[in-house]
Amino acid sequence: MIILRQTVWRSLTAVGVASALAACGPGGEGGEAGEQGRPGAHSEGGEAGEGGGAAPAAAAPAGEAGEAGIAGVMDGLSETERSAARLQQLKGFFMAADVLMSEPDLAPAGVLIGQGVLEVYEAFPGDMTGYNVTQAQAASRIGLAPNPSQPEMARALSEAMAGIDARLTELNVNGAVIAGRMIDASEGLYRHVDLGEGLIDETEYQHSFAAALAARDALARDERRLRRVNAAAYAEASREVDAFIALWNGPDAPATPTPLGQILAQGSRVQLALSALQTGG
């Protein structure tokens, strides 16, 4: 397999994210279709599903549509649930970036944080009410700087995630409901990892991994309430989510990723376990 992760991918994506972050402040416009312009996106025009091949990543902030693989993931949610789900999705990007920060090169983590800001925060400002994205933007900029400071980046990212946690506590949504939508998102994104002809899209791989982490985080945050609903179901759901995440083995795409069928099968097991927790409490 050829992993779309060349030096030019890294450099162009970093330029695109940095330019976009510089162009938009908190509450500005971006859009998940900014991924159309990232190097390594599939030929159908990236996750937005529109025509055209991969364009330079500097065009990313002009995105218009959503990620095709997860376009309907938030359907049927109440306004409060949708806000919680979007925030949880955003935190997943940050959690995956936090894992990447263990590597010497902080640029990939900076890129991933910036992608989260553009594809979730900027794309859905109506769902982001009450959340200040400043620290996340700062963390991304630090990671993309010529001589980044890991402690400063870690501090900014930690504050960005703490801000999401505080807002999620205010929204007080059933964590099993949100976890289920994150599993849906992870599966939808993973469908675009294997591009065929030996090509693997590492960006989609990372984004699907991020959504999987977000699912576990949503479940863990609501542990006290969900255990009251059904302690056995909560324990089962936690085990199944852990098994789901283990199918990635980290944020870096291997030459031969887990087959989609295994991802979907394990996702179904997670959803079955979550179903007993999504009402009551």
Side-chain angles (χ1 to χ4, degrees):
M1 291 287 184
I2 299 173
I3 302 175
L4 298 176
R5 187 174 53 192
Q6 298 93 335
T7 302
V8 65
W9 181 93
R10 291 283 171 98
S11 61
L12 284 176
T13 304
V15 169
V17 170
S19 298
L21 289 175
C24 59
E29 297 179 359
E32 295 190 8
E35 298 206 359
Q36 287 180 295
R38 70 174 185 272
H42 31 99
S43 60
E44 290 82 4
E47 295 178 19
E50 297 181 359
E64 299 171 4
E67 294 176 288
I70 60 171
V73 164
M74 306 303 177
D75 289 356
L77 294 177
S78 69
E79 183 177 338
T80 300
E81 288 171 337
R82 189 179 64 249
S83 291
R86 292 294 185 198
L87 284 164
Q88 191 68 62
Q89 182 187 6
L90 181 60
K91 188 180 179 186
F93 277 87
F94 299 167
M95 295 174 72
D98 191 45
V99 176
L100 285 172
M101 283 178 61
S102 63
E103 301 176 3
D105 182 6
L106 297 180
V111 166
L112 190 55
I113 295 167
Q115 287 171 341
V117 171
L118 294 174
E119 296 177 14
V120 184
Y121 183 89
E122 296 291 342
F124 304 99
D127 294 331
M128 298 290 114
T129 302
Y131 178 63
N132 188 332
V133 77
T134 303
Q135 289 302 318
Q137 292 171 320
S140 182
R141 291 190 183 101
I142 292 169
L144 297 174
N147 296 297
S149 166
Q150 199 278 345
E152 289 183 14
M153 185 178 181
R155 183 164 51 252
L157 184 58
S158 178
E159 292 180 8
M161 290 193 285
I164 290 179
D165 289 339
R167 181 62 180 140
L168 287 171
T169 297
E170 293 173 356
L171 292 171
N172 192 31
V173 171
N174 184 312
V177 171
I178 304 307
R181 298 307 175 106
M182 295 301 101
I183 295 296
D184 287 339
S186 182
E187 291 177 339
L189 292 164
Y190 201 89
R191 290 179 184 276
H192 300 290
V193 167
D194 189 342
L195 308 182
E197 299 183 359
L199 299 176
I200 298 300
D201 189 329
E202 186 187 43
T203 300
E204 298 283 21
Y205 188 90
Q206 288 183 343
H207 291 191
S208 61
F209 175 67
L213 294 181
R216 181 166 63 187
D217 186 70
L219 196 62
R221 178 183 299 101
D222 210 15
E223 177 178 4
R224 182 175 299 179
R225 170 169 45 192
L226 296 176
R227 283 192 180 278
R228 288 199 304 266
V229 172
N230 189 325
Y234 179 83
E236 181 183 1
S238 296
R239 288 193 297 270
E240 297 294 1
V241 170
D242 285 344
F244 186 74
I245 293 172
L247 296 175
W248 276 260
N249 195 33
D252 292 322
T256 305
T258 300
L260 175 62
Q262 287 184 236
I263 296 290
L264 299 179
Q266 184 57 34
S268 295
R269 297 185 189 100
V270 176
Q271 297 287 19
L272 181 62
L274 290 173
S275 65
L277 300 168
Q278 291 173 341
T279 59

